[in-house]
Amino acid sequence: MDSSQLFGGVMVAYIIATVFYFVLFLFKSQRAGQLGMLLALGGVLVHTVAIGLRWYESYLMGIGRPPLTNMYESLVFFAWCTALLYLLMEFRFKIRVVGTFVMPCIALIMAYASFSARIDDRITPLIPALQSDWLIAHVVTCFIGYGAFTVAFCLGVMYLLKQAAINRKGENTSRLAALPDLKVIDDLTYKSIVLGFLWLTAGIITGAIWANEAWGTYWSWDPKETWSIITWFVYALTLHARFTRGWSGSRIAWMAIVGFMSVLFLYFGVNFFLSGLHSYA
Amino acid sequence: MTSKKKNPVIDLLASVQLALFLIFLLASTSIIGTLIPQNNPPSFYIQAYGEKAALIMQLLHIPDMYNSWWFLTLLAVFALNLTVCSLERIPRVIRTIRKDGLSMATEQVEKLPIRQERTLAASPEEAAEHVAGVLRGQGWQARTTDRDNGRLFFAEKEAWSRFGVYIVHLSILVILIGALIGSPAVARKILQNPSFAFKGSVMIPESQTIEQITAFKTRQRLDLGFALRLDSFLIEHYPNGMPKTYRSSVTIFENGQPAHTADIEVNTPLIHRGITFYQASYQPLQNFIIGIRQDGRETDHTEIVAPERQRTWQEAGVSYGILNLENRGEVTQRLKIWFTDNQGEPAIFWLPAGQEARIERPSGVYHFQARQMYASGLQVAKDPGVWVVYTGCLLMLIGLYIAFFRSHRRIYVLIQPDGQGSRLLFAGTTTKNKEGLEKKMNNLASKLDT
Ligand code: HEM
């Protein structure tokens, strides 16, 4: 059994978990919700093992490097962070139905990593620019941030859907009434953004320190750096609008979506459309 | 509030609306420089966007927008906004923190957002003793005062956390100041001392020594104040051909004396006297280090040789030269060597670069090797502000943690006589995590029930 097969299994677990979460949402079956959660939890555990195994495999190949250095590995790690953060949130705040929105994203990320033709899943050695202890600190902090913003995005979408349903049909007639109170969703969105902002800040800082070690400048306005600061500004704007202008509800939900678009561009767009010093993620 | 007359400019600079607007502007204008490649020569923009568009771009400093006057002005106004806004609010925060909870009027305590009520059979005096014990047990250092036949307890935690926001704001200023200190433009134009902070590069051929580097942008030559010799440059590859290591081995000379040696690799720069040398690039040269040994001879021969030059090793009485090269790009794969000991026909053969050939001649057996020489491109930076920037980063993380996860909690316990027993009101305020405090308050109150 190698790590690629395990990642495949993990993807299947997330897909089935998604189905169960949908059953929970559509038919209010607590049983299905529980199964969905157990599958997601199992998925995360195997996911963790698989990441460790891939690390070990790189040693067997005489390369020996953390599994965080190309698009495939970063997607897998992105999915892992998002899944872990989501489950922690589910346990802490008891809002299982939110999985209906988060789990498909996680399954999608894994599927994209596995099936996209432009993504190479081989273990290759590290080019000199990536041989640094800062690599782990930088990638881990960034991706915890991305994971939290992904959860915030899902919550934002959920908020807007529920609000639209309420506006159309009134409070209780809608299936979306099964979702948590708007106030609760709003609060969780805000909490996820705060968490993401903290980790994104740490990610930018570790990246700057690393850039200084490798290139001799902690900031050179390369497109990836610039998009990271743009994203940071978007969320800083969101947080300030919230505490000083009293923004909440749909405005914050929209900002969670706008912020996430910026994260997506930072993550994929920069690599596919712009040129710069970052070789991947 | 103060009754001072407000200055409209200060008002604007203290406003959060301006901050939101500036953050929005910074974010949106920053996008431009990621779409339009930066710092290319003017001809690039003409070719890519046409004459007219290129002219407009030059006028707006788009090709170097992050150093343009308008972007820097935006940053400066942002910093000013942050400073004024924070300075205006900090005195208020200090006043809030200083305010003694025990001075709060009974009616106000009754109106606090977080509250729990209890009635006890015990007299107010007994209840007060009980409450004091419970508060102490939960780590609240309460103070107390007589109030309306009863008693008011007050305790607070983490009042300092109200400064978290200002630590974050201060950290942004610290980072900007660090960036100014390390800015080559500031060193050049304001301090009139380009050696104070610079970024530049130098290309050193193997075995050569340099004492100056070339600054980026101005192309000015700057003295290092010491000398650096490139002893050797080495590239290692993985079995699959990907590059594994670029390594420059260098010696530093202080006052003409070798002071120390070091290896510079991509993620391990050399720092000497505040100047950092980074491995940035390399250049294969059309020069070769020739090494010759003769079996049975103690000494050997090394020399740097260009192609098509005849060389002689006097001691052994042999002559040699490089007749031709077989290159891939600038990297030499094989060299055509001419070698003679002046006895019989000269030997002519192809030698793979870096390998050794054995030559049998009437005068003895020779071992001949040729290694291609390289020049190593080092980036050289002196940034005296980098530690200020790092300090700012650390402050920011600490500040964010405090701002997001610590809260100033205040609790009040009002004890009043109620018939034979007493009525207890637990009330509180917190800067965040209301549910957390509600739970704590519930806990406190239920400790009295048992
Ligand atoms: C992009 C850079 C900025 C960052 C990262 C930042 C960060 C923060 C943080 C973390 C908070 C605390 C939120 C909380 O209460 O939990 C905050 C609050 C605040 N910030 Fe900023 N800030 C920035 C720029 C600015 C600027 C330019 C202003 C200028 C007006 C400003 C004004 C405020 C105000 C008024 C508050 C609310 C303070 C309060 O709760 O009383 N911020 N900021």
Side-chain angles (χ1 to χ4, degrees):
Chain A
M1 180 76 88
D2 68 12
S3 61
S4 306
Q5 286 164 307
L6 283 186
F7 286 131
V10 169
M11 175 188 71
V12 173
Y14 290 148
I15 291 173
I16 303 176
T18 303
V19 174
F20 279 118
Y21 276 112
F22 263 95
V23 173
L24 164 70
F25 171 51
L26 296 177
F27 307 108
K28 307 194 172 60
S29 155
Q30 295 309 316
R31 209 47 223 245
Q34 216 157 33
L35 283 171
M37 182 277 287
L38 286 174
L39 266 165
L41 185 65
V44 169
L45 290 178
V46 178
H47 203 152
T48 313
V49 171
I51 291 175
L53 181 61
R54 190 173 170 94
W55 201 334
Y56 174 71
E57 284 165 353
S58 79
Y59 276 95
L60 291 186
M61 293 169 66
I63 293 169
R65 55 155 187 73
L68 301 170
T69 62
N70 56 32
M71 193 40 123
Y72 175 77
E73 290 169 342
S74 81
L75 281 167
V76 164
F77 188 66
F78 179 29
W80 183 80
C81 287
T82 312
L84 191 66
L85 284 174
Y86 166 68
L87 281 176
L88 289 175
M89 191 167 100
E90 184 184 311
F91 295 144
R92 172 117 159 64
F93 298 103
K94 313 272 180 285
I95 33 84
R96 183 153 294 158
V97 59
V98 175
T100 317
F101 289 75
V102 183
M103 209 39 73
C105 294
I106 297 168
L108 194 70
I109 299 167
M110 287 303 283
Y112 180 62
S114 308
F115 298 128
S116 170
R118 66 209 297 189
I119 290 170
D120 181 357
D121 69 351
R122 276 175 307 179
I123 300 181
T124 49
L126 282 187
I127 57 167
L130 295 181
Q131 296 163 10
S132 167
D133 293 336
W134 286 102
L135 171 78
I136 297 183
H138 178 51
V139 177
V140 169
T141 46
C142 285
F143 277 86
I144 296 176
Y146 294 0
F149 290 139
T150 307
V151 173
F153 162 76
C154 297
L155 287 162
V157 170
M158 190 162 133
Y159 186 98
L160 294 174
L161 283 178
K162 172 145 181 163
Q163 197 187 39
I166 291 174
N167 289 346
R168 248 194 341 265
K169 301 186 195 149
E171 183 74 57
N172 281 319
T173 51
S174 164
R175 183 166 276 144
L176 292 150
L179 298 178
D181 266 358
L182 286 180
K183 252 190 129 99
V184 173
I185 307 176
D186 175 60
D187 185 53
L188 289 175
T189 312
Y190 163 70
K191 284 192 162 89
S192 308
I193 291 178
V194 160
L195 190 69
F197 189 72
L198 184 67
W199 286 101
L200 176 65
T201 309
I204 295 175
I205 291 174
T206 49
I209 297 175
W210 184 12
N212 194 47
E213 297 284 300
W215 302 324
T217 47
Y218 52 82
W219 197 260
S220 47
W221 293 104
D222 111 299
K224 195 99 181 172
E225 287 174 349
T226 308
W227 271 97
S228 74
I229 205 78
I230 291 168
T231 307
W232 191 75
F233 280 139
V234 171
Y235 287 109
L237 195 69
T238 309
L239 293 176
H240 282 82
R242 188 172 177 104
F243 357 100
T244 63
R245 316 287 315 152
W247 280 28
S248 66
S250 56
R251 288 179 171 180
I252 293 294
W254 275 113
M255 288 308 288
I257 293 169
V258 171
F260 185 66
M261 294 303 129
S262 183
V263 169
L264 283 184
F265 198 82
L266 164 61
Y267 187 7
F268 301 105
V270 172
N271 298 58
F272 293 150
F273 303 123
L274 309 174
S275 62
L277 297 161
H278 280 75
S279 59
Y280 74 104
Chain B
M1 274 305 307
T2 49
S3 56
K4 261 185 278 171
K5 257 221 202 109
K6 289 261 182 163
N7 174 334
V9 177
I10 301 274
D11 250 11
L12 176 66
L13 284 177
S15 77
V16 183
Q17 279 103 317
L18 178 65
L20 296 178
F21 179 63
L22 287 174
I23 295 175
F24 174 75
L25 270 186
L26 280 169
S28 42
T29 55
S30 291
I31 297 176
I32 300 170
T34 68
L35 301 178
I36 298 174
Q38 295 289 293
N39 290 311
N40 283 321
S43 56
F44 168 87
Y45 298 94
I46 296 175
Q47 210 156 39
Y49 306 100
E51 216 45 84
K52 233 189 205 146
L55 186 68
I56 295 172
M57 285 182 190
Q58 297 293 352
L59 281 176
L60 296 176
H61 298 267
I62 299 294
D64 189 14
M65 67 154 275
Y66 302 109
N67 293 306
S68 68
W69 62 269
W70 60 266
F71 192 76
L72 295 178
T73 305
L74 208 53
L75 275 177
V77 177
F78 172 76
L80 195 63
N81 181 204
L82 190 60
T83 313
V84 175
C85 174
S86 299
L87 284 181
E88 202 198 46
R89 280 157 193 263
I90 286 174
R92 266 190 261 166
V93 174
I94 293 176
R95 243 175 287 142
T96 310
I97 288 176
R98 287 244 178 98
K99 190 155 182 211
D100 186 359
L102 287 181
S103 67
M104 189 182 272
T106 308
E107 306 81 67
Q108 270 177 303
V109 176
E110 295 277 1
K111 276 191 230 140
L112 288 174
I114 303 173
R115 43 182 297 140
Q116 282 274 328
E117 277 191 58
R118 288 286 191 283
T119 41
L120 292 187
S123 69
E125 290 76 30
E126 284 168 335
E129 217 160 282
H130 207 144
V131 165
V134 168
L135 286 176
R136 213 174 313 116
Q138 298 285 307
W140 293 95
Q141 294 186 339
R143 289 176 302 118
T144 176
T145 177
D146 287 332
R147 179 70 61 84
D148 311 334
N149 306 327
R151 223 156 226 302
L152 178 68
F153 283 86
F154 169 73
E156 62 186 336
K157 278 185 179 169
E158 299 184 1
W160 48 266
S161 70
R162 286 182 185 263
F163 288 110
V165 180
Y166 302 101
I167 296 176
V168 177
H169 289 169
L170 175 70
S171 74
I172 295 172
L173 297 176
V174 171
I175 290 171
L176 290 175
I177 289 169
L180 281 182
I181 295 175
S183 155
V186 170
R188 227 170 36 238
K189 293 181 194 155
I190 297 173
L191 303 177
Q192 307 281 334
N193 177 10
S195 298
F196 181 76
F198 56 80
K199 287 191 176 29
S201 66
V202 61
M203 187 62 101
I204 321 174
E206 280 179 293
S207 82
Q208 305 270 28
T209 305
I210 55 101
E211 295 182 1
Q212 287 187 324
I213 60 106
T214 310
F216 290 148
K217 292 212 168 138
T218 58
R219 315 304 304 163
Q220 194 179 5
R221 309 275 302 161
L222 298 175
D223 282 321
L224 290 174
F226 54 89
L228 183 93
R229 184 181 69 201
L230 178 63
D231 297 324
S232 68
F233 177 77
L234 180 101
I235 307 176
E236 285 174 28
H237 292 271
Y238 289 108
N240 72 358
M242 283 171 63
K244 181 179 179 189
T245 313
Y246 303 109
R247 181 184 303 128
S248 297
S249 301
V250 300
T251 305
I252 287 188
F253 292 83
E254 288 282 6
N255 306 315
Q257 297 303 311
H260 69 267
T261 61
D263 286 344
I264 303 173
E265 293 178 19
V266 174
N267 271 297
T268 40
L270 162 68
I271 303 174
H272 185 70
R273 289 218 248 147
I275 300 177
T276 313
F277 297 87
Y278 304 86
Q279 185 66 54
S281 64
Y282 65 92
Q283 173 83 51
L285 302 176
Q286 301 305 304
N287 279 329
F288 299 84
I289 300 176
I290 303 292
I292 314 174
R293 274 183 305 119
Q294 182 185 11
D295 282 354
R297 186 183 290 278
E298 291 283 305
T299 54
D300 52 15
H301 173 81
T302 33
E303 190 169 359
I304 296 170
V305 178
E308 300 176 29
R309 298 269 188 291
Q310 183 176 332
R311 288 280 169 239
T312 303
W313 179 13
Q314 295 281 353
E315 205 179 321
V318 298
S319 298
Y320 59 92
I322 303 168
L323 294 178
N324 203 353
L325 298 176
E326 190 180 281
N327 278 4
R328 187 180 297 157
E330 289 176 332
V331 178
T332 299
Q333 309 286 313
R334 295 199 303 164
L335 305 87
K336 194 173 192 181
I337 303 295
W338 170 88
F339 184 94
T340 181
D341 55 358
N342 300 310
Q343 301 177 30
E345 284 290 297
I348 293 178
F349 57 94
W350 281 101
L351 173 67
Q355 291 187 20
E356 190 176 87
R358 182 186 148 93
I359 314 170
E360 286 182 29
R361 298 292 304 176
S363 60
V365 176
Y366 297 87
H367 302 272
F368 189 103
Q369 57 175 328
R371 184 171 79 77
Q372 184 169 19
M373 288 183 71
Y374 281 83
S376 175
L378 300 179
Q379 262 194 39
V380 189
K382 185 172 174 196
D383 186 343
V386 74
W387 286 102
V388 179
V389 172
Y390 285 180
T391 306
C393 291
L394 186 66
L395 265 183
M396 179 176 291
L397 289 176
I398 294 172
L400 283 176
Y401 170 72
I402 296 173
F404 291 147
F405 298 114
R406 312 284 7 162
S407 52
H408 180 198
R409 285 150 285 160
R410 290 176 149 163
I411 59 171
Y412 305 79
V413 188
L414 186 63
I415 304 172
Q416 290 166 320
D418 179 40
Q420 293 300 307
S422 40
R423 166 182 178 264
L424 272 65
L425 172 67
F426 289 79
T429 61
T430 175
T431 47
K432 63 183 77 73
N433 192 11
K434 199 162 161 233
E435 302 80 39
L437 188 61
E438 270 164 359
K439 226 180 260 169
K440 282 240 167 64
M441 199 86 77
N442 217 343
N443 245 336
L444 279 178
S446 56
K447 283 243 153 49
L448 292 175
D449 296 341
T450 52

